[in-house]
Amino acid sequence: AAGVIQSPRHLIKEKRETATLKCYPIPRHDTVYWYQQGPGQDPQFLISFYEKMQSDKGSIPDRFSAQQFSDYHSELNMSSLELGDSALYFCASSLGWTGATGELFFGEGSRLTVL
Amino acid sequence: AQSVTQLGSHVSVSEGALVLLRCNYSSSVPPYLFWYVQYPNQGLQLLLKYTTGATLVKGINGFEAEFKKSETSFHLTKPSAHMSDAAEYFCAVSVQQGGSEKLVFGKGTKLTVNP
């Protein structure tokens, strides 16, 4: 079965550079979530989209922006990168609310290293 | 606000021994609760979930969890640990507010299985 696809899997950037992460949800899933997991930390919610509209916003820095496109894929744009942005970034998708299906499906993650 | 607390950041068991990972929740409404497993350098995989109905939930890889409202707990158990169970385990609660929904994770418990 098709899963959530994230690219790139690994990314190395210098401080103050820009990075873009992409997420392709499971076909027919209309909701996308982004999470950030720092080293040894639990995943922290960044932002979510439902039907291409932002549905919720968490602890996402102003330097970060995201959007969901007409084909439901999503991109997370990170500018003015800082060392502290080094983390594993997860994308997850669901069909509507998780309360209805009870589950978010996670991608393998994109590991960003900022030097 | 809904949240989960995992007791014990590290748990170590011998192969074949009982696995018990503790999770307590805080919620003013009936919670939807989840356990996810994360193997090193991999994404989050759903082990099991509780939404409604039977309070004893069986998941993959021989894991199960019991929702106990009186104790506000959702502990994860497995009768006999395998070496392959070594991973980090996250308890999560589905938080619904303002027309959106997201998962909020606990701090995680790292399980070590000794031969």
Side-chain angles (χ1 to χ4, degrees):
Chain A
V4 176
I5 306 297
Q6 291 187 245
S7 68
R9 291 294 310 279
H10 301 272
L11 190 60
I12 299 175
K13 290 287 186 178
E14 300 278 343
K15 281 173 53 178
R16 292 180 288 279
E17 286 191 321
T18 297
T20 297
L21 305 181
K22 297 184 178 183
C23 169
Y24 296 87
I26 291 173
R28 294 189 298 280
H29 280 194
D30 50 18
T31 307
V32 167
Y33 310 77
W34 285 97
Y35 283 81
Q36 179 192 55
Q37 186 180 28
Q41 302 295 314
D42 55 298
Q44 293 290 317
F45 173 74
L46 291 178
I47 196 167
S48 62
F49 294 87
Y50 169 68
E51 282 292 343
K52 293 154 280 185
M53 298 287 289
Q54 181 181 309
S55 55
D56 198 358
K57 196 171 182 179
S59 51
I60 183 170
D62 292 340
R63 300 176 288 106
F64 291 11
S65 65
Q67 59 181 321
Q68 186 179 31
F69 295 85
S70 58
D71 63 352
Y72 294 100
H73 94 273
S74 178
E75 294 184 5
L76 177 65
N77 298 294
M78 300 173 284
S79 62
S80 302
L81 288 170
E82 303 174 356
L83 296 179
D85 296 329
S86 295
L88 194 53
Y89 290 82
F90 287 109
C91 174
S93 73
S94 69
L95 180 61
W97 283 21
T98 61
T101 64
E103 185 173 354
L104 258 62
F105 294 82
F106 283 84
E108 292 288 307
S110 293
R111 184 172 295 281
L112 171 66
T113 302
V114 181
L115 302 176
Chain B
Q2 292 163 287
S3 65
V4 289
T5 301
Q6 291 183 242
L7 302 176
S9 58
H10 289 83
V11 170
S12 182
V13 300
S14 298
E15 191 174 17
L18 171 71
V19 175
L20 171 60
L21 305 182
R22 299 176 187 274
C23 173
N24 287 89
Y25 68 89
S26 174
S27 178
S28 57
V29 298
Y32 292 151
L33 295 163
F34 307 81
W35 275 100
Y36 281 84
V37 61
Q38 185 178 31
Y39 297 100
N41 299 312
Q42 292 191 26
L44 294 159
Q45 181 182 7
L46 180 70
L47 276 178
L48 49 78
K49 61 189 180 189
Y50 170 78
T51 52
T52 58
T55 56
L56 181 61
V57 181
K58 294 186 184 297
I60 62 172
N61 302 339
F63 284 93
E64 62 181 39
E66 186 170 10
F67 172 70
K68 291 188 176 181
K69 185 178 179 180
S70 61
E71 299 177 7
T72 62
S73 69
F74 190 57
H75 301 332
L76 181 70
T77 60
K78 182 173 181 178
S80 177
H82 294 164
M83 297 295 291
S84 60
D85 294 326
E88 183 127 30
Y89 292 80
F90 291 95
C91 181
V93 62
S94 175
V95 175
Q96 300 175 19
Q97 58 183 138
S100 68
E101 187 183 23
K102 58 178 178 278
L103 283 185
V104 173
F105 290 88
K107 294 298 183 184
T109 299
K110 187 172 183 179
L111 176 66
T112 301
V113 182
N114 302 308

